[in-house]
Amino acid sequence: MLSLKGQDILSAKQFDREILLKLFKLADELREEIREKKVLSYGKGRVMATVFLEPSTRTKLSFQFAMKRLGGDVIDFDVTTSSLAKGETDIDTLRIIDGYEPDIIVLRQRKPLFPMKIKDLIKAPIINAGDGWNEHPTQALLDVYTIWRVFGKVDGLTIGIMGDLKYGRTPSSLSYLLSKFNDIKIYYIAPKPLQIREEVLQYIDGKIEYEIVYDVTNIIEKLDVLYVTRLQKERLPDQSIYEKLKGSYKLTADLLQRYKKIPIIMHPLPRTWELDTSVDTLPQAKYFEQARNGLYIRAALIKEVLGL
Ligand code: ASP
Ligand code: CP
C-alpha cells in the first residue's frame, strides 16, 4: 500500500483505493477516540503551520481543530499583519516559515499549481488546501468520506456534480478521487460556460463513465448524490459573466420534492444563491455533516503524513 509518511499532499490523483479506505476507517476510529478523550496524544510535540493566502473558514479551522485534537500544536500565519504587506514574496514567506521547522505546512494559495512549484524548496510536507481553480484534494477526501459513510461504499454510485465546474477546484479533485473506485458514473451538470475542464475529462477517461448535461431536472432521479457548487465569483475573468449566470442553477426544497427519488445533497460550502436554505431540513441534506467530517478525515491524514 502507498505510504503517506513524509509526503506532500498536492493532488487527489496521488491517492489509491487502499489508502483511501484506510483513511476512511482511521477517521472513524479517531472520531470515536476524540469523542471519548477529547484530546489524544499522537501529535504531542509536533507543530503544524497553517498558511492561508486566500480566505477560508472550514479548511483552516478543521485542520487546526484536527491537529489540536491529535494533541499537537498549531501556528497560524496571519496574512493581514504579515510582511507580505511590505512586498515580500510568497516564496520567501514560505521559506522563512519552513526555516522554523514545522512538522507540516497546510497551504492555500490563489495561484494554480503554486504548491507544486515550491515543494522542492520546502522541507516540511505541504498539504495543498486549495490552489486557485486547480485542486482541493483534502476537500475531495472529506467529500468521498461522507459518501462512504452514508452508503457504506463508493463503488457503483451515480454522482451529479452541478454548478461552477470550470472555475471551481472541488469538482476536479472530487472527479480524480472518484476515479479510484469502480463503476462510478458522473453527470457534470452546468451551463456551457461553466462546464468541466478538459484536463479533468482526460484524466478520468476510461476510469469513470460520464455525461455532460446542462440541466439537472431530467436526470435527478438517476442520482445517488447531487454535489452542488458555488459560482466562483472571485475567479471569473469578467464580472458580467457572474451577472449573466447568477441564478442559472438553483436547488430548492420545492424543486427536489417534485421527484420520487431525491439524492443526498452535498456542497463544499460556502453557499450563495445555488442552494436554498429550504433544503436544509430535508433528510437528504448532508452538507453540514460533510463539513464536520472534514475534521476527522484531516486528523487521519495528518496522522498518516506524520507517521504517528
Ligand atoms: N470552499 C471551497 C473552496 O475553497 C468551495 C468554494 O469556495 O466555493 O474551493
Ligand atoms: N469547503 C471549503 O474549502 O471551505 P473554506 O473555503 O471555508 O475553507
Side-chain angles (χ1 to χ4, degrees):
M1 188 193 317
L2 190 75
S3 166
L4 298 182
K5 189 174 174 188
Q7 296 292 313
D8 297 314
I9 306 298
L10 303 180
S11 166
K13 293 176 191 168
Q14 74 192 77
F15 295 98
D16 66 21
R17 179 193 172 92
E18 254 188 311
I19 193 76
L20 289 170
L21 292 173
K22 183 180 178 191
L23 285 171
F24 297 165
K25 286 176 197 150
L26 180 58
D28 272 1
E29 283 162 22
L30 289 171
R31 181 190 301 262
E32 275 311 299
E33 279 191 72
I34 290 169
R35 199 177 52 78
E36 273 169 34
K37 300 187 191 138
K38 294 263 186 215
V39 180
L40 314 179
S41 51
Y42 300 111
K44 204 158 172 251
R46 306 301 180 101
V47 181
M48 180 172 82
T50 47
V51 185
F52 279 68
L53 306 176
E54 214 189 22
S56 170
T57 296
R58 279 147 290 270
T59 311
K60 178 158 126 171
L61 287 177
S62 62
F63 265 114
Q64 293 181 336
F65 267 95
M67 189 60 173
K68 287 282 189 184
R69 293 293 187 202
L70 286 173
D73 270 320
V74 176
I75 300 286
D76 185 47
F77 172 78
D78 178 6
V79 72
T80 57
T81 58
S82 76
S83 286
L84 285 171
K86 302 177 198 168
E88 187 161 36
T89 63
D90 303 348
I91 295 181
D92 279 1
T93 304
L94 262 300
R95 291 184 81 164
I96 295 300
I97 295 168
D98 190 48
Y100 302 139
E101 301 193 351
D103 296 285
I104 200 160
I105 296 177
V106 181
L107 172 66
R108 173 171 287 189
Q109 233 287 356
R110 243 171 249 288
K111 290 177 227 152
L113 302 173
F114 179 78
M116 295 69 169
K117 281 183 193 137
I118 58 148
K119 71 178 173 46
D120 293 336
L121 292 172
I122 303 297
K123 271 209 228 92
I126 300 175
I127 299 185
N128 180 5
D131 60 318
W133 48 256
N134 182 42
E135 274 216 57
H136 193 348
T138 67
Q139 177 69 44
L141 282 180
L142 74 92
D143 296 340
V144 181
Y145 174 49
T146 301
I147 292 171
W148 178 81
R149 279 176 59 82
V150 171
F151 294 95
K153 61 168 193 172
V154 182
D155 294 335
L157 297 178
T158 299
I159 292 149
I161 310 182
M162 177 169 97
D164 185 350
L165 315 180
K166 181 171 181 180
Y167 300 99
R169 54 193 168 203
T170 64
S172 43
S173 286
L174 178 57
S175 303
Y176 299 149
L177 214 61
L178 286 171
S179 76
K180 312 293 171 178
F181 293 88
N182 302 322
D183 306 321
I184 301 283
K185 171 144 193 188
I186 298 183
Y187 284 94
Y188 291 110
I189 311 151
K192 255 204 185 106
L194 300 178
Q195 264 298 345
I196 193 75
R197 299 189 298 271
E198 195 50 43
E199 87 259 14
V200 180
L201 296 181
Q202 270 173 21
Y203 183 84
I204 65 162
D205 197 39
K207 303 183 182 98
I208 289 184
E209 193 192 334
Y210 67 84
E211 234 173 275
I212 306 264
V213 299
Y214 303 104
D215 179 14
V216 71
T217 53
N218 303 325
I219 51 118
I220 204 161
E221 288 184 328
K222 297 183 177 166
L223 304 177
D224 299 300
V225 178
L226 178 53
Y227 184 99
V228 189
T229 68
R230 170 181 72 91
L231 182 49
Q232 309 282 298
K233 192 176 184 198
E234 68 278 27
R235 290 199 202 108
L236 297 176
D238 170 356
Q239 286 311 305
S240 69
I241 301 179
Y242 185 80
E243 294 312 320
K244 225 186 272 157
L245 294 170
K246 190 177 166 189
S248 60
Y249 56 93
K250 181 173 178 173
L251 224 51
T252 63
D254 246 17
L255 182 138
L256 287 169
Q257 280 164 336
R258 278 184 230 151
Y259 297 91
K260 278 202 209 89
K261 181 189 162 200
I262 304 178
I264 67 159
I265 308 299
M266 296 178 63
H267 193 304
L269 302 177
R271 64 173 147 191
T272 49
W273 43 260
E274 71 286 350
L275 179 57
D276 194 77
T277 52
S278 62
V279 178
D280 297 2
T281 49
L282 299 183
Q284 290 87 356
K286 299 292 177 198
Y287 29 93
F288 288 106
E289 185 180 322
Q290 182 187 351
R292 237 183 355 259
N293 287 340
L295 190 159
Y296 303 106
I297 198 72
R298 287 177 171 129
L301 182 67
I302 295 167
K303 191 167 178 289
E304 286 301 298
V305 170
L306 293 179
L308 303 171

Short mmCIF file of all heavy atoms in Angstrom, two decimals, residues 52 54-62 108 129-130 136 138-139 142-143 169-170 227 230 267-270 290-291 298, ligand 2:
data_model
loop_
_atom_site.label_atom_id
_atom_site.label_comp_id
_atom_site.label_asym_id
_atom_site.label_seq_id
_atom_site.Cartn_x
_atom_site.Cartn_y
_atom_site.Cartn_z
N PHE A 52 -2.70 30.42 5.04
CA PHE A 52 -3.84 30.61 4.14
C PHE A 52 -3.74 31.98 3.49
O PHE A 52 -3.98 33.00 4.13
CB PHE A 52 -5.16 30.40 4.89
CG PHE A 52 -5.51 28.95 5.04
CD1 PHE A 52 -4.75 28.13 5.85
CD2 PHE A 52 -6.57 28.39 4.33
CE1 PHE A 52 -5.03 26.75 5.96
CE2 PHE A 52 -6.86 27.03 4.43
CZ PHE A 52 -6.09 26.22 5.24
N GLU A 54 -5.48 32.86 0.96
CA GLU A 54 -6.81 33.07 0.36
C GLU A 54 -7.80 32.76 1.49
O GLU A 54 -7.49 31.91 2.33
CB GLU A 54 -6.99 32.06 -0.79
CG GLU A 54 -7.78 32.55 -1.94
CD GLU A 54 -8.11 31.44 -2.94
OE1 GLU A 54 -8.08 30.25 -2.59
OE2 GLU A 54 -8.40 31.78 -4.08
N PRO A 55 -8.97 33.41 1.52
CA PRO A 55 -9.88 33.21 2.65
C PRO A 55 -10.32 31.76 2.85
O PRO A 55 -10.39 30.99 1.89
CB PRO A 55 -11.10 34.07 2.27
CG PRO A 55 -10.61 35.04 1.28
CD PRO A 55 -9.49 34.38 0.54
N SER A 56 -10.61 31.42 4.09
CA SER A 56 -11.08 30.07 4.42
C SER A 56 -11.74 30.08 5.79
O SER A 56 -11.27 30.77 6.70
CB SER A 56 -9.91 29.09 4.45
OG SER A 56 -10.31 27.85 4.99
N THR A 57 -12.79 29.33 5.94
CA THR A 57 -13.36 29.06 7.27
C THR A 57 -13.14 27.59 7.60
O THR A 57 -12.42 27.24 8.52
CB THR A 57 -14.87 29.39 7.30
OG1 THR A 57 -15.01 30.79 7.09
CG2 THR A 57 -15.50 29.02 8.64
N ARG A 58 -13.75 26.71 6.81
CA ARG A 58 -13.75 25.27 7.11
C ARG A 58 -12.37 24.61 7.04
O ARG A 58 -11.98 23.88 7.94
CB ARG A 58 -14.65 24.51 6.12
CG ARG A 58 -16.10 24.54 6.42
CD ARG A 58 -16.88 24.54 5.12
NE ARG A 58 -16.66 25.82 4.48
CZ ARG A 58 -17.43 26.87 4.69
NH1 ARG A 58 -18.50 26.75 5.42
NH2 ARG A 58 -17.16 28.04 4.14
N THR A 59 -11.67 24.85 5.95
CA THR A 59 -10.42 24.10 5.74
C THR A 59 -9.42 24.46 6.82
O THR A 59 -8.83 23.59 7.47
CB THR A 59 -9.87 24.39 4.33
OG1 THR A 59 -10.94 24.24 3.40
CG2 THR A 59 -8.74 23.45 3.98
N LYS A 60 -9.27 25.78 7.04
CA LYS A 60 -8.29 26.22 8.04
C LYS A 60 -8.69 25.73 9.43
O LYS A 60 -7.88 25.12 10.14
CB LYS A 60 -8.18 27.74 8.01
CG LYS A 60 -7.22 28.28 9.04
CD LYS A 60 -6.75 29.66 8.64
CE LYS A 60 -6.95 30.67 9.72
NZ LYS A 60 -6.31 31.95 9.41
N LEU A 61 -9.94 25.98 9.81
CA LEU A 61 -10.34 25.62 11.18
C LEU A 61 -10.36 24.12 11.41
O LEU A 61 -9.99 23.64 12.47
CB LEU A 61 -11.70 26.24 11.52
CG LEU A 61 -11.65 27.75 11.74
CD1 LEU A 61 -13.05 28.30 11.99
CD2 LEU A 61 -10.76 28.10 12.92
N SER A 62 -10.79 23.34 10.41
CA SER A 62 -10.85 21.89 10.64
C SER A 62 -9.45 21.30 10.72
O SER A 62 -9.20 20.38 11.50
CB SER A 62 -11.71 21.19 9.60
OG SER A 62 -11.16 21.36 8.32
N ARG A 108 -2.84 27.30 1.49
CA ARG A 108 -3.83 27.69 0.47
C ARG A 108 -3.30 28.90 -0.27
O ARG A 108 -2.81 29.85 0.35
CB ARG A 108 -5.18 28.00 1.11
CG ARG A 108 -6.18 28.57 0.11
CD ARG A 108 -7.59 28.69 0.63
NE ARG A 108 -8.23 27.38 0.74
CZ ARG A 108 -9.52 27.22 1.01
NH1 ARG A 108 -10.30 28.27 1.22
NH2 ARG A 108 -10.04 26.02 1.09
N ALA A 129 -4.19 23.03 0.46
CA ALA A 129 -5.54 23.33 0.97
C ALA A 129 -6.33 24.14 -0.05
O ALA A 129 -7.28 24.83 0.30
CB ALA A 129 -5.42 24.08 2.29
N GLY A 130 -5.93 24.02 -1.33
CA GLY A 130 -6.60 24.74 -2.42
C GLY A 130 -5.61 25.61 -3.15
O GLY A 130 -5.01 26.50 -2.54
N HIS A 136 -8.33 20.88 -4.78
CA HIS A 136 -8.57 20.98 -3.34
C HIS A 136 -8.65 19.53 -2.84
O HIS A 136 -9.73 19.02 -2.53
CB HIS A 136 -9.88 21.74 -3.11
CG HIS A 136 -10.13 22.20 -1.72
ND1 HIS A 136 -9.38 21.79 -0.62
CD2 HIS A 136 -11.08 23.05 -1.22
CE1 HIS A 136 -9.86 22.38 0.47
NE2 HIS A 136 -10.88 23.14 0.13
N THR A 138 -7.93 17.77 -0.15
CA THR A 138 -8.49 17.31 1.14
C THR A 138 -10.00 17.55 1.21
O THR A 138 -10.69 16.89 1.97
CB THR A 138 -7.78 17.96 2.35
OG1 THR A 138 -8.07 19.37 2.39
CG2 THR A 138 -6.27 17.74 2.29
N GLN A 139 -10.52 18.48 0.39
CA GLN A 139 -11.97 18.61 0.27
C GLN A 139 -12.53 17.34 -0.37
O GLN A 139 -13.53 16.79 0.10
CB GLN A 139 -12.33 19.83 -0.58
CG GLN A 139 -13.83 20.00 -0.83
CD GLN A 139 -14.60 20.39 0.42
OE1 GLN A 139 -14.16 21.24 1.18
NE2 GLN A 139 -15.75 19.76 0.65
N LEU A 142 -12.82 14.60 2.18
CA LEU A 142 -13.99 14.64 3.08
C LEU A 142 -15.28 14.41 2.31
O LEU A 142 -16.24 13.85 2.85
CB LEU A 142 -14.01 15.94 3.90
CG LEU A 142 -14.40 17.26 3.25
CD1 LEU A 142 -15.88 17.52 3.39
CD2 LEU A 142 -13.62 18.37 3.95
N ASP A 143 -15.29 14.77 1.03
CA ASP A 143 -16.48 14.51 0.21
C ASP A 143 -16.70 13.01 0.05
O ASP A 143 -17.79 12.49 0.28
CB ASP A 143 -16.32 15.14 -1.18
CG ASP A 143 -16.24 16.67 -1.14
OD1 ASP A 143 -16.68 17.26 -0.14
OD2 ASP A 143 -15.73 17.25 -2.12
N ARG A 169 -12.46 24.35 -7.81
CA ARG A 169 -11.38 23.36 -7.67
C ARG A 169 -11.89 22.07 -7.03
O ARG A 169 -11.20 21.07 -6.98
CB ARG A 169 -10.24 23.93 -6.85
CG ARG A 169 -10.68 24.48 -5.49
CD ARG A 169 -9.58 25.31 -4.86
NE ARG A 169 -10.07 26.07 -3.71
CZ ARG A 169 -9.48 27.18 -3.27
NH1 ARG A 169 -8.42 27.65 -3.88
NH2 ARG A 169 -9.94 27.80 -2.21
N THR A 170 -13.12 22.13 -6.46
CA THR A 170 -13.61 20.90 -5.82
C THR A 170 -14.13 19.88 -6.84
O THR A 170 -13.92 18.69 -6.63
CB THR A 170 -14.68 21.20 -4.74
OG1 THR A 170 -15.82 21.78 -5.36
CG2 THR A 170 -14.16 22.16 -3.69
N TYR A 227 -24.03 16.88 -5.89
CA TYR A 227 -22.99 17.72 -5.27
C TYR A 227 -23.06 19.09 -5.95
O TYR A 227 -22.81 19.21 -7.15
CB TYR A 227 -21.64 17.04 -5.50
CG TYR A 227 -20.44 17.69 -4.86
CD1 TYR A 227 -19.93 17.21 -3.65
CD2 TYR A 227 -19.76 18.74 -5.46
CE1 TYR A 227 -18.81 17.77 -3.06
CE2 TYR A 227 -18.65 19.32 -4.88
CZ TYR A 227 -18.17 18.83 -3.68
OH TYR A 227 -17.06 19.38 -3.09
N ARG A 230 -20.74 26.50 -5.76
CA ARG A 230 -20.96 27.94 -5.89
C ARG A 230 -20.29 28.48 -7.15
O ARG A 230 -19.21 28.02 -7.51
CB ARG A 230 -20.32 28.56 -4.63
CG ARG A 230 -20.17 30.04 -4.56
CD ARG A 230 -19.48 30.42 -3.24
NE ARG A 230 -18.07 30.07 -3.23
CZ ARG A 230 -17.07 30.88 -3.62
NH1 ARG A 230 -17.35 32.10 -4.05
NH2 ARG A 230 -15.83 30.50 -3.57
N HIS A 267 -22.46 19.79 -0.65
CA HIS A 267 -21.96 21.09 -1.09
C HIS A 267 -20.68 21.34 -0.29
O HIS A 267 -20.67 21.13 0.92
CB HIS A 267 -23.01 22.17 -0.80
CG HIS A 267 -22.76 23.50 -1.46
ND1 HIS A 267 -21.58 24.21 -1.29
CD2 HIS A 267 -23.53 24.26 -2.28
CE1 HIS A 267 -21.64 25.35 -1.99
NE2 HIS A 267 -22.81 25.40 -2.60
N PRO A 268 -19.60 21.79 -0.94
CA PRO A 268 -18.37 22.02 -0.16
C PRO A 268 -18.52 23.22 0.79
O PRO A 268 -17.78 23.33 1.76
CB PRO A 268 -17.31 22.29 -1.23
CG PRO A 268 -18.07 22.77 -2.43
CD PRO A 268 -19.40 22.07 -2.38
N LEU A 269 -19.46 24.13 0.47
CA LEU A 269 -19.69 25.37 1.21
C LEU A 269 -18.47 26.29 1.08
O LEU A 269 -17.36 25.78 0.91
CB LEU A 269 -20.03 25.09 2.68
CG LEU A 269 -21.27 24.21 2.91
CD1 LEU A 269 -21.45 23.95 4.41
CD2 LEU A 269 -22.54 24.83 2.33
N PRO A 270 -18.58 27.59 1.17
CA PRO A 270 -19.79 28.33 1.49
C PRO A 270 -20.79 28.35 0.32
O PRO A 270 -20.39 28.23 -0.83
CB PRO A 270 -19.25 29.74 1.73
CG PRO A 270 -18.04 29.85 0.85
CD PRO A 270 -17.43 28.48 0.87
N GLN A 290 -21.10 16.88 6.22
CA GLN A 290 -19.93 16.82 5.32
C GLN A 290 -18.81 17.73 5.85
O GLN A 290 -17.66 17.30 5.97
CB GLN A 290 -20.41 17.29 3.95
CG GLN A 290 -19.43 17.29 2.82
CD GLN A 290 -20.06 17.94 1.57
OE1 GLN A 290 -21.27 18.22 1.53
NE2 GLN A 290 -19.26 18.19 0.57
N ALA A 291 -19.15 18.96 6.22
CA ALA A 291 -18.13 19.88 6.74
C ALA A 291 -17.53 19.35 8.04
O ALA A 291 -16.32 19.42 8.25
CB ALA A 291 -18.73 21.27 6.95
N ARG A 298 -9.22 14.88 8.11
CA ARG A 298 -7.96 15.64 8.13
C ARG A 298 -7.08 15.18 9.28
O ARG A 298 -5.86 15.12 9.15
CB ARG A 298 -8.24 17.14 8.16
CG ARG A 298 -8.75 17.60 6.80
CD ARG A 298 -9.13 19.05 6.72
NE ARG A 298 -9.39 19.42 5.33
CZ ARG A 298 -10.47 20.06 4.90
NH1 ARG A 298 -11.42 20.43 5.74
NH2 ARG A 298 -10.61 20.33 3.61
N1 CP B 2 -15.02 23.99 1.67
C1 CP B 2 -14.03 24.88 1.91
O1 CP B 2 -12.89 24.73 1.45
O2 CP B 2 -14.37 25.89 2.74
P1 CP B 2 -13.42 27.13 3.11
O3 CP B 2 -13.12 27.83 1.82
O4 CP B 2 -14.23 27.94 4.06
O5 CP B 2 -12.17 26.57 3.72
#
